[in-house]
Every structure is written in C-alpha cells, then in structure tokens.
Amino acid sequence: MEAHHCNNRRSNLLLLLLLVSVVANLITASAASSPIAIASEEKLELTLYYEALCPFCENFIVNYLYKLFDNGLISIVDLKLSPYGNAKIRSNDTIVCQHGAWECVLNTVEACAIHAWPAVSDHFPFVYCVENLTYKGEYANWETCFQKVNVDPKPVLDCYTSGFGHELELQYADEIKALEPPHTYVPWVVLDGQPLYDDYVDIISLICKAYKGSKTPEACLGLSLPVTKHKDTDNTLDNKLLGCMLLAWLSLCRINGIK
Ligand SMILES: *[C@@H]1O[C@H](CO)[C@@H](O)[C@H](O)[C@H]1NC(C)=O
Ligand SMILES: *[C@@H]1O[C@H](CO)[C@@H](O)[C@H](O)[C@H]1NC(C)=O
C-alpha cells in the first residue's frame, strides 16, 4: 500500500528549486542578450506507472499531469502511461488488482485506449476523463467518457471483450516488473530513467530542470517570472513571486536554525 509521503524532504527540494529558479531568472533577465546554448533536441522520457483506482494516482493525473498538455511541456516530453501498478498475477495469468475487480476492468480499459489511440495526445483525454470520474468514486460511469471526449467506443470495447486487453495488461506487468530500481509504490514516475519518488508533484519544475534542449517551452521560462499569456494572472503571479521569496527566506531561516 501507498505510504504517507515525506513532506519535509519534498518541500525542501521545492524551496531549493524555487530559489534556484528565482536566481536563474534574475541572472537571465540581467544578461538577456547572451546567446542561448543549443543542446540536444531530444525529448525527455516520462513514464507513469499507475493503477486506475489508487487515489494518489488519480490525484496525480487529474491535478498535476494534465498540466503538461495545457502549458505546452508535452512538446518536450515523451509521456508513456503504464496502467497496471501493484496488480499481481496468480495462476492461469489471472490478474488480481490492489483495489479490487473494478480496478482490473479500468486498468484494462485504459490499456486498450492506449493501444487503440497510440499518440498520447489521443489517449490521454480519455484516460484523464476516466480518472476524473474514479477520483470522485464514479468509476461505474466510465463509459460516458467515450462521448465526453468524442471517441469511438468500438476499438476499446472490442479490445476489452476479446481478451486482448488482458494480454496488454500482462505486457504492462512485465514492464513494471523489469524496472530498475524496482518500483515500491504507485504512482511511480520515472523521468529519463530516474524514479522521482515522492517528488513527482513537482513534475513541472523537474521536467524544466531536466530539459537540455534548445526549445525550452514558455512554461519553464515563466516558472517564477510573470507571463502575460493568461488574462488575470498578473496579480497571482506577483503574489506567487512574493510567496517564493518568502518561502526562500523561511527556508534560509530554517537552515540557519533561526526558526
Ligand atoms: C485455469 O483456466 C482453466 C481454463 O480456463 C480452468 O479450467 C482452470 O480451472 C483454471 N485454473 C485455475 C487454478 O484457476
Ligand atoms: C472533471 O471533473 C470535474 C469536477 O467534477 C468536472 O467539472 C469536469 O468537467 C471533469 N473534466 C473532464 C474532462 O471530464
């Protein structure tokens, strides 16, 4: 089962990232004319190992991961979903899921969707829709997602009922079992071969930090400096910046033992 996460370690890393990005932005701003180093254009590999009914997985997909599609980070990320998680294989290749039979159904349905629409931009909306329902306990309504995201149900239903979805799940089982280091809980997020452990909620800044290519998306540049993309953001961003500075100051205090 999912353990509670270590909040201290995570928030310290977040503070450090915020501090680094504030400083980096100040430096960049003062040296705006210096040439940008052109590095490899390769995308980052990001894989999410999850299971359909794990609350932390639902939360990650519905409240964090979707942002990659909203802020353009998906353009520098090769995102793969692996819907199997902590399920176990019993005799006869029967799969037993951590959160019961419904989870096996929805893992398989999502595996079928990924297979039916291989481009992540095509299957993610469906997976998101299903997880958005399960997050609210409405997993039995998953079939409404075909209509909601406007896709043909047939390939997914055929895949599920024919047993092909079960075969896909067995493949995902092999995939997660082969992980090195092995996964210890879900959501298990791996960025360029490195598990993020509990830091997965900082996915945006971790992606920006890991990216070495030259096509840095605006979302990375705007991590701590105001951007004018959305209306009504100036105040929020100013407040965020103030918040960052306050947090940075607090963390310095903590480091110095003043707190
Ligand atoms: C394995 O599957 C076969 C055929 O579906 C079935 O007859 C048998 O009872 C199953 N064995 C176990 C241990 O589940
Ligand atoms: C997700 O759930 C929220 C809250 O119930 C709902 O307002 C929203 O329309 C859902 N989004 C999708 C894409 O299904």
Side-chain angles (χ1 to χ4, degrees):
M1 265 307 283
E2 175 64 72
H4 280 292
H5 297 172
C6 171
N7 290 324
N8 282 338
R9 191 165 62 83
R10 196 175 70 206
S11 58
N12 283 342
L13 180 64
L14 183 61
L15 289 170
L16 185 63
L17 285 174
L18 287 169
L19 197 58
V20 166
S21 77
V22 166
V23 170
N25 269 300
L26 291 175
I27 292 169
T28 328
S30 65
S33 59
S34 66
I36 298 162
I38 308 288
S40 153
E41 300 275 334
E42 273 179 52
K43 289 186 177 188
L44 297 166
E45 285 230 343
L46 179 69
T47 308
L48 168 64
Y49 299 87
Y50 71 108
E51 55 197 25
L53 298 186
C54 144
F56 292 102
C57 302
E58 295 163 347
N59 179 46
F60 179 62
I61 292 170
V62 169
N63 295 319
Y64 295 87
L65 193 58
Y66 85 92
K67 289 182 186 166
L68 303 192
F69 294 86
D70 272 11
N71 65 16
L73 280 201
I74 193 66
S75 67
I76 59 164
V77 169
D78 185 9
L79 172 63
K80 291 196 174 72
L81 304 178
S82 179
Y84 179 83
N86 294 331
K88 298 268 179 286
I89 296 176
R90 300 273 182 254
S91 54
N92 264 5
D93 282 349
T94 308
I95 297 174
V96 180
C97 293
Q98 191 175 13
H99 300 89
W102 262 111
E103 180 162 79
C104 283
V105 171
L106 295 179
N107 283 347
T108 309
V109 160
E110 292 180 17
C112 286
I114 294 164
H115 186 265
W117 311 300
V120 71
S121 54
D122 292 335
H123 60 248
F124 188 82
F126 180 81
V127 171
Y128 178 92
C129 177
V130 173
E131 293 301 309
N132 197 29
L133 285 174
T134 66
Y135 194 48
K136 294 174 286 178
E138 297 174 17
Y139 43 84
N141 294 335
W142 68 272
E143 287 185 75
T144 61
C145 285
F146 292 124
Q147 206 188 349
K148 279 184 188 145
V149 302
N150 194 23
V151 288
D152 179 9
K154 193 171 187 308
V156 169
L157 297 179
D158 284 354
C159 163
Y160 182 82
T161 52
S162 69
F164 183 63
H166 183 75
E167 299 301 317
L168 293 175
E169 280 296 284
L170 294 175
Q171 287 171 26
Y172 281 121
D174 288 341
E175 188 181 285
I176 195 167
K177 268 187 262 168
L179 276 179
E180 199 53 60
H183 91 288
T184 48
Y185 52 81
V186 286
W188 192 254
V189 185
V190 179
L191 180 60
D192 265 359
Q194 300 300 314
L196 300 185
Y197 299 99
D198 287 346
D199 296 327
Y200 61 80
V201 289
D202 299 326
I203 189 70
I204 302 290
S205 32
L206 291 174
I207 288 172
C208 290
K209 199 172 158 232
Y211 182 64
K212 301 286 182 275
S214 60
K215 293 184 176 163
T216 308
E218 212 177 312
C220 289
L221 303 173
L223 268 182
S224 55
L225 279 184
V227 287
T228 50
K229 198 171 156 203
H230 305 289
K231 58 178 179 182
D232 198 29
T233 52
D234 283 356
N235 281 340
T236 347
L237 280 163
D238 283 345
N239 289 344
K240 270 190 200 156
L241 192 54
L242 276 177
C244 291
M245 291 163 90
L246 185 64
L247 283 169
W249 178 76
L250 283 173
S251 76
L252 285 176
C253 292
R254 197 180 306 156
I255 288 163
N256 293 329
I258 295 169
K259 182 185 174 238

